[in-house]
Amino acid sequence: QVQLVQSGAEVRKPGSSVKVSCKASGGTFRTHAISWVRQTPGQGLEWMGGIVPVFGTADYGQMFQGRVTITADESTSTAYIELRSLTSDDTAVYYCARGLEQYRLRGVFDVWGQGTMVTVSA
Amino acid sequence: EVVLTQSPGTLSLSPGERATLSCRASQSVSGSLLAWYQQKPGQAPRLLIYAASSRATGVPDRFSGSDSGTDFTLTISRLEPEDFAVYYCQHFGGSPWTFGQGTKVEIK
């Protein structure tokens, strides 16, 4: 049974950065894409980007390009997302999610992490 | 960008009734790139349907999906108590990948 366990809630000030982790267990980490999706009351669900760990290159949603970095560490089966230049609009629940297919970054997410609340406040 | 518009916003039904949820795309999209998720309060979304009509592992057969170009439908044939939740459609062709705003299925 594949599980994704995310790091805990974060509070950050505007202009700072945050890094959230997502540790996989019980399955094959390296060949399934890990995506990051955030959820806000105002904007709903937004795909931020994803990575197939075995390939190592991330792809990002246009509105996050330049402000986000997604990485994966095969040795620890952990994916990370770092978001910079935070504003109050980045206050959201951030989810990692595993792609259903292997070796492809596609938007069918069959396993999700529990979510990490990130609050941006002065 | 493909905009997905879900309707209705809220569906009030009783257990045992049939639920029909709509997801309309702003342009013609491939059904193979359309998925449906269920989300309950305080939980992450759960994959129900992908490629417009394929059920994910473990999803009961009362859930079904269909498509016709720009209109996609999720049907729950007979609502069970655990089906009352918010449902999202998602398209992942082109960039950015987008989600609909959700349909809440509530107990009448």
Side-chain angles (χ1 to χ4, degrees):
Chain A
Q1 179 98 355
V2 178
Q3 267 195 309
L4 300 176
V5 178
Q6 299 182 223
S7 50
E10 302 273 10
V11 179
R12 291 287 185 272
K13 294 195 182 301
S16 67
S17 301
V18 69
K19 192 170 186 177
V20 178
S21 68
C22 170
K23 184 173 177 59
S25 62
T28 305
F29 174 75
R30 62 195 306 265
T31 58
H32 285 266
I34 296 290
S35 279
W36 290 89
V37 177
R38 75 179 186 182
Q39 185 168 34
T40 63
Q43 297 300 315
L45 293 162
E46 298 177 290
W47 179 75
M48 302 180 70
I51 188 169
V52 181
V54 69
F55 299 141
T57 303
D59 194 15
Y60 302 106
Q62 280 178 311
M63 71 172 284
F64 299 101
Q65 209 126 37
R67 204 163 67 90
V68 66
T69 301
I70 294 171
T71 56
D73 182 342
E74 290 186 59
S75 67
T76 59
S77 298
T78 303
Y80 300 89
I81 185 168
E82 182 180 31
L83 188 60
R84 300 176 290 278
S85 303
L86 293 168
T87 72
S88 59
D89 290 342
D90 294 313
T91 295
V93 177
Y94 289 76
Y95 293 102
C96 61
R98 191 188 82 152
L100 178 65
E101 295 181 55
Q102 295 192 67
Y103 299 107
R104 294 185 72 175
L105 178 58
R106 280 167 66 90
V108 181
F109 308 130
D110 65 339
V111 181
W112 292 66
Q114 82 277 18
T116 296
M117 181 71 213
V118 174
T119 303
V120 183
S121 174
Chain B
E1 174 178 332
V2 174
V3 177
L4 300 176
T5 302
Q6 293 187 241
S7 61
T10 301
L11 200 50
S12 298
L13 296 167
S14 301
E17 289 193 295
R18 182 185 187 89
T20 303
L21 288 68
S22 174
C23 173
R24 174 164 289 180
S26 59
Q27 57 190 271
S28 182
V29 300
S30 169
S32 65
L33 304 176
L34 195 287
W36 288 92
Y37 297 86
Q38 175 195 67
Q39 188 177 33
K40 296 178 181 178
Q43 297 184 18
R46 171 199 178 199
L47 177 66
L48 294 177
I49 301 285
Y50 62 98
S53 58
S54 297
R55 271 187 302 276
T57 302
V59 174
D61 60 8
R62 63 180 180 272
F63 291 92
S64 63
S66 63
D67 79 271
S68 59
T70 59
D71 292 309
F72 299 87
T73 302
L74 175 69
T75 302
I76 311 171
S77 59
R78 287 178 56 86
L79 282 164
E80 297 288 339
E82 61 269 27
D83 299 336
F84 292 92
V86 180
Y87 293 83
Y88 296 95
C89 58
Q90 177 216 8
H91 178 256
F92 51 96
S95 181
W97 298 351
T98 54
F99 291 84
Q101 82 282 13
T103 289
K104 181 179 182 180
V105 178
E106 65 176 23
I107 300 176
K108 187 174 180 180

